[in-house]
Structures are given as structure tokens and as C-alpha cells.
Amino acid sequence: MSRIVLLVLLLVPILSISSTSKNIIIESNNELMILKKELDKEKDELKKIDQSKTSLVIKLRNIEKEIRLNENVLHEINRRYNLVKESRAEVIEKIDILNNDISKLIKEIKKGNIYFVDNRGVLNLKLLIFSNSYHEMIKNLEILEKANLNMKQKVNQIVEKKQAIDNLNKILVEKEKELEDLKKLKWDVIKELQNEKVLYQQTLAVLDADKRNKQSYLDILTSRYEDLNKRFLEVEKESKNQPQKPVSNGFAKLKGGLDWPVKGKIVEHYGVKYVEALKTEVFNKGIKIQVQGDGFVRSVYDGVVKYIDWIKGYGNLIIISHEDNYYTIYANIDDVMVQNGQKVKKGDKIGIIDVDIQDVQHYLYFEIRKNNNALNPEEWLKKEAA
């Protein structure tokens, strides 16, 4: 097998998607498949019960998981799109290399022809045949045979390289179609995700407006924060069991000077919040920052990633431990870019919020704590987002 044929075999795409349906994407990813099974189970449960307070709570939970599933599907589509895009670029590069090789071979053949063709276009065989001696004639004929063999090999190389280019062009067409299919699927998923978020808000509004379910809504808010607080206390307990470092007050000195975790503006402040529909107050221990930049979430200070998980109502959540028992909490992250136990520096990217989705308000939930005491992030962050 020639090197050219081997090259073509090596260029068989690493990633191929036999179908552009979302189900194929889900089935190819174990995490997405598990989440899909959970959703199907809850949908069956929803069908069995009456339209009541319980059904609305389950419906909210079901929509939250649908949103999470589609956000994960969208991430998987983006990952595959980038892989196919890179693979397409490699194919184009190989085609360019082969075309350059063909151009060089053609020039070499043209250059070789100068030695065999005179100005009238007649082969100079007579110079070889009518030589001074028999041995000289045999020698010249051998030279001619070798030259012809060399030119034939170059011609064969050109044919092989053109065949390789044809094969690569077929692969390129497949890549283009793959990219178009993925692009179409991406926007279908985005549209579905937008509809689900609207449905979530509408369902939440129905639950909020119904007097019989107002307390349930408050219970949902309370249970979500209790869940977050439970996870935090586990992290804090683990940190206390580890050897304590000398107090440095490094983090404390940055009050009012911390860089923002994302570029944006605060849309929900720290402190007491009055919920009109419930005629009651809730206490926000963190802030919501509407994302207005590239969507990258960054650590505000040096530390160690202590906790990563998905929590209902908060999405993907990251807790980072800093010196002197300070902690920062980042939630509602689409894609986590760090691992548990990983050391991070100030400004390191720890996650991303997918701002590619249009007409959807993207926000980061952010907290700062000293031990288990919530601090007002607005007093710690710089006056304006960088």
C-alpha cells in the first residue's frame, strides 16, 4: 500500500454522526442518557397524578431537568462541532500539500523533457542510436530507459496524488454536511431550550399566583437554599479537619478590591428581598450577576476547588476554599472547567455560562462566606465590573 493510500486511511474522520437527531447525541453520552432516563421516569409519574399542587411541583422539577439536559446537549453539540471543524481544516491542509506536490512533479517532468525534445518537437533518439560505437549506443539507450522510467514514476505519483485529492474532497463534502447538520441541530436545541425556560417561568408564575400553593413555592426556595447550605457545611467541616495554616489576612485585605467573577451587572442584590406574591420576605445570601461578556467565570482569588455538583435551583455549583476560612460560591454555571481538589489562581477560568443562547437572561449566582457567615459580595467586589 502506498503512502498516499495510507494517508487517506488515516484521514478517516475521528468523529462521525450517523444522525442529526438529538436522541443520537444523548445516546452517545452516558451522563445525558442517565438524565434522559430520569426525565422519562418523572414524566410517567406526572401522568399518574391529578393536576394539583404536587403535580405542579413535579412539573417544575421536570422542566428544570429538561433545561439541564438540553444545556448539556448543547454543550455536546458545540464540542462535536469544534472537532469536525478542526478535522475539516486538517483535510483542507492535506489537499493543499498534495496540490503543491503535484505542481512540483509537473515542473520536474517539464524540465526533464528538455533533454529529450529538440526545437522541432522531435525526440533526439537519433543521437542515441547513431552513436560512435555499439557500447556507446547501449549505454545511451540505458540512460534513456532510466530517464523514461523516472518520468513514468513521476506520472504515477501525480495520478496517485490526484486520486488522494479526490478521496479527500469526498471527505471534505461529508465534513461540510456534518457541520451544517450540527448547526441546524444546535439552533433547534436552542429554540427548544428557550421554550422550556419560558414554560418554567409560566409554571412558576401559576404556582406563585395560586394561594393554595404559595407556601409550597416558599418551601421550594427554602429547600433549595438548605440544600446549598448543607453542601457548604460539608465542605467547611472537611476543611476544618485539615491542618490549619497560619493566618495571613490576605483575602481580608482585598475587601472592596476583588475582581468580578464575570463581566456584567448585579440584577439581584444581597440581603432581604420582599416577594410580593407571597407577602413575605426572603434573605439572599448572595447576588445574581447578569452576564454581559464572554461568559467565562473566573476565580476571584487563589484557592482550592472543594466542591463541584449540580443542585436543584442552582445548576452546576463550584465552591472554592481560600486562606483564613474564606469561601466563594459560584452557581448557575453551564460548563465546569475545573476538578475537585484543583488549585486555582486569581483570574483562572473555572467555568462558562453559555451566552450563545439568544434572548435568554444569563446570570451567575455568587456568594462570599467567612466560615459559614455570608458576607455581602457588593462590599468586596470592585465598584465596577472589569
Side-chain angles (χ1 to χ4, degrees), residues 120 130 146 181 234 252 327 350 355 371:
R120 292 176 298 169
F130 298 103
K146 288 180 180 179
D181 290 342
E234 291 173 358
Y327 300 86
I350 60 173
V355 294
N371 296 317

Side-chain angles (χ1 to χ4, degrees), residues 231-245 299 302-309 317-323 325-330 336 338-344 350:
R231 309 295 175 93
F232 177 81
L233 288 173
E234 291 173 358
V235 171
E236 187 187 31
K237 182 179 178 181
E238 180 185 347
S239 297
K240 285 182 177 178
N241 292 333
Q242 295 177 353
Q244 297 297 310
K245 296 181 180 179
S299 175
D302 300 354
V304 179
V305 177
K306 288 292 185 180
Y307 184 85
I308 297 173
D309 202 358
L317 176 136
I318 301 173
I319 298 177
I320 297 179
S321 171
H322 307 285
E323 59 188 22
N325 297 321
Y326 283 92
Y327 300 86
T328 49
I329 300 174
Y330 313 76
V336 175
V338 289
Q339 297 178 340
N340 267 323
Q342 181 176 334
K343 291 182 179 180
V344 294
I350 60 173

Side-chain angles (χ1 to χ4, degrees), residues 255-283:
K255 187 173 183 179
L258 280 179
D259 290 336
W260 286 49
V262 290
K263 295 180 179 179
K265 65 177 182 179
I266 298 174
V267 292
E268 192 168 303
H269 297 271
Y270 170 90
V272 176
K273 176 185 176 184
Y274 184 77
V275 183
E276 177 63 32
L278 301 176
K279 304 298 181 184
T280 188
E281 294 178 343
V282 294
F283 190 88

